[in-house]
């Protein structure tokens, strides 16, 4: 299976490692890519694990995210710029037969000895 974050790689050689062990993630970009793949695969547990404790979605929001991510068709991820603790990206998906884009500059920090998503603009 190709990896959702980068179709030139296999999932087993890319995001699967992060999904099985978040401590294996070494950069914010790697975490962001693994989170995108988790959205595509509706891996809500990984999304929660990779989210900062201060901004983590509630149980109700978690269910809403799961429902939403299963309702859209993910197309591709484009990384625009990656720095020491931010990643700017575009995630493309179809929702209600319309191509939509999430364009975000995400910030990442270390918490409990691993990278986590803090917030995005």
């Amino acid at each position: 299976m190709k990896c959702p974050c980068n179709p030139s790689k296999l999932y087993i050689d890319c995001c699967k490692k992060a999904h099985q062990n978040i401590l294996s993630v070494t950069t914010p970009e790697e975490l962001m890519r693994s989170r995108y793949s988790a959205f595509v695969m509706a891996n809500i547990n990984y999304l929660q694990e990779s989210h900062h404790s201060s901004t983590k979605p509630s149980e109700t929001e978690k269910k809403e995210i799961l429902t939403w991510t299963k309702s859209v068709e993910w197309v591709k991820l484009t990384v625009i710029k990656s720095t020491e603790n931010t990643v700017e990206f575009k995630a493309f998906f179809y929702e209600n037969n319309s191509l939509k884009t999430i364009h975000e500059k995400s910030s990442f920090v270390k918490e409990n000895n691993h990278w986590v998503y803090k917030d995005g603009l």
Side-chain angles (χ1 to χ4, degrees), residues 42-95:
N43 183 345
I44 197 72
N45 292 330
Y46 182 77
L47 291 171
Q48 288 290 95
E49 180 183 21
S50 61
H51 214 289
H52 192 272
S53 60
S54 69
T55 56
K56 188 177 291 191
S58 68
E59 283 302 311
T60 301
E61 292 168 321
K62 180 179 166 182
K63 290 175 186 173
E64 291 169 357
I65 293 167
L66 180 60
T67 299
W68 176 76
T69 196
K70 287 181 171 184
S71 74
V72 302
E73 179 187 344
W74 295 95
V75 178
K76 73 174 183 173
L77 172 69
T78 302
V79 174
I80 298 165
K81 185 177 180 182
S82 185
T83 68
E84 186 176 316
N85 63 350
T86 65
V87 180
E88 183 179 1
F89 69 91
K90 288 185 179 181
F92 299 87
F93 60 96
Y94 281 103
E95 184 174 34

